[in-house]
Amino acid sequence: MRKLILFIVAVVLIASQKKANAQGCVAIRSTGGFSNAGKGGPADTISKWQLNANNRYFKSFRHFVGTDEQKQRQVLGNEVINHQYTLDLAITRILNSRWSMMLDLPIEANSRSSLYEHNNLGRFTTHSFGVGDIRFAVYSWLIDPIKSPRGNIQVGLGLKLPTGNYNYQDYFHLTDSTTRLGALDQSVQLGDGGTGLTLELNAFYNLSPTFSVYGNFYYLSNPREVNGISTARGGTASASAVKNGSDVMSVPDQLMARVGVNFMANRFVFSAGVRDECLPVNDLIGGSNGFRRPGYIISAEPGVTYNLKKIALYAYVPFALVRNRTQSVPDKITTRLTGKTAHGDAAFADYAVNIGATFRF
């Protein structure tokens, strides 16, 4: 029984660190992880270290204003297409049955294809590659896992550092023969430029030897309001952008929440859940001005994990059910100044692919 309890603790500790970006232009950084809480497989009571390597990819191309899809963008061929890949490396040190520490290192490769950023001369692509924002976190179970084998709640507090380049630049076309170097769109920058605080809650409850329920909550608070990077792609910001504050990039908060069920079958764990990823309009701490694409994505999230003695292999594919690009602070300022409703758009993906492995040593 003790080995089984420790395995439950290990699974949740491992899985709660896995990388998960929102599917499109709305969120720009990590928004928490999976919480594959459950049981199954042999326990490893000797290992003190865990390494998780998560590979995530998605393609965003469907434009939304509010919940209304702008289908004409694809018909006209002027949609923005983002390809985003992240290798997320998270190493966890288990101190004892209740406490652990985690260091997360994301490596990102992004591309953005558009017409409007290149004076509609044709479809051109900009790229970014490098290390993203590193995060350090400390975790603790609220109840001693030895005394509460059936269910528990884990609290995590973390610090996100502005290690990712938030002024990554590439060339934009002005004419058929002239280009200009400028900062990339916010959605494909490697970092957001803010030092943030993270709060996580991971919970599980075993209904039976084969079924369990789980929940996961993650919030990133970025007190810094703007990072000072121009949104004009190397040019001069328009007067309207200066008036509504969208001439510089915002440093937004982010939120993620998940609930679901697990089914154990020998070495397999089959998961089915619902996921909500959100970039809020207003930050919890500090101002909310500057350019951002706030909104949320509600997804169905199936997944499967296969447990070996020292390795756990997994795949999760959240499919978008609801996509909503909400009205930003600059949108609201423009609405107030002009008397006409202003509401920007954002591109979302249909799904994201997360494939990875956790190693215990």
Side-chain angles (χ1 to χ4, degrees), residues 126-179:
T126 52
H127 302 84
S128 62
F129 174 79
V131 173
D133 287 346
I134 294 174
R135 185 167 66 94
F136 173 79
V138 176
Y139 298 89
S140 177
W141 293 99
L142 295 184
I143 308 172
D144 187 345
I146 305 300
K147 299 179 180 179
S148 183
R150 194 165 186 178
N152 213 332
I153 299 174
Q154 182 193 56
V155 176
L157 297 176
L159 180 68
K160 182 193 72 68
L161 302 175
T163 54
N165 187 351
Y166 55 96
N167 188 24
Y168 204 103
Q169 299 187 6
D170 205 340
Y171 288 94
F172 297 89
H173 290 74
L174 301 178
T175 67
D176 290 334
S177 60
T178 306
T179 59

Side-chain angles (χ1 to χ4, degrees), residues 5-215:
I5 294 169
L6 289 176
F7 180 78
I8 295 171
V9 173
V11 168
V12 182
L13 283 170
I14 294 167
S16 65
Q17 316 309 329
K18 297 173 186 174
K19 175 88 168 187
N21 295 335
Q23 301 174 36
C25 292
V26 170
I28 56 174
R29 297 282 71 76
S30 173
T31 55
F34 299 107
S35 180
N36 184 22
K39 303 182 297 181
D44 183 350
T45 60
I46 299 176
S47 301
K48 297 297 183 180
W49 294 91
Q50 296 165 355
L51 173 66
N52 182 76
N54 183 66
N55 299 275
R56 180 177 178 88
Y57 168 79
F58 66 82
K59 171 188 174 182
S60 62
F61 64 100
R62 296 190 185 276
H63 288 256
F64 284 79
V65 174
T67 57
D68 296 327
E69 183 178 356
Q70 308 299 294
K71 297 181 179 180
Q72 73 277 8
R73 297 291 297 270
Q74 294 182 64
V75 174
L76 296 172
N78 61 10
E79 76 276 22
V80 174
I81 303 174
N82 280 7
H83 293 272
Q84 297 185 251
Y85 167 77
T86 302
L87 169 60
D88 199 66
L89 301 173
I91 187 164
T92 299
R93 175 69 165 97
I94 298 179
L95 303 175
N96 53 48
S97 62
R98 295 189 68 169
W99 290 89
S100 63
M101 301 185 300
M102 184 273 300
L103 181 66
D104 179 85
L105 172 68
I107 301 173
E108 305 176 27
N110 307 311
S111 68
R112 179 177 173 85
S113 168
S114 67
L115 281 75
Y116 83 95
E117 293 175 313
H118 304 273
N119 281 341
N120 292 306
L121 297 171
R123 181 171 290 278
F124 296 96
T125 303
T126 52
H127 302 84
S128 62
F129 174 79
V131 173
D133 287 346
I134 294 174
R135 185 167 66 94
F136 173 79
V138 176
Y139 298 89
S140 177
W141 293 99
L142 295 184
I143 308 172
D144 187 345
I146 305 300
K147 299 179 180 179
S148 183
R150 194 165 186 178
N152 213 332
I153 299 174
Q154 182 193 56
V155 176
L157 297 176
L159 180 68
K160 182 193 72 68
L161 302 175
T163 54
N165 187 351
Y166 55 96
N167 188 24
Y168 204 103
Q169 299 187 6
D170 205 340
Y171 288 94
F172 297 89
H173 290 74
L174 301 178
T175 67
D176 290 334
S177 60
T178 306
T179 59
R180 178 174 60 203
L181 185 65
L184 299 184
D185 184 81
Q186 186 182 57
S187 63
V188 290
Q189 289 289 343
L190 301 177
D192 59 25
T195 298
L197 303 174
T198 61
L199 168 66
E200 295 175 74
L201 297 174
N202 302 311
F204 72 95
Y205 188 79
N206 295 311
L207 301 172
S208 72
T210 55
F211 283 97
S212 65
V213 294
Y214 64 85

Side-chain angles (χ1 to χ4, degrees), residues 166-168 183-184 189 226-232 247-250:
Y166 55 96
N167 188 24
Y168 204 103
L184 299 184
Q189 289 289 343
V226 295
N227 61 22
I229 304 304
S230 172
T231 59
D247 57 318
V248 292
M249 296 183 190
S250 177

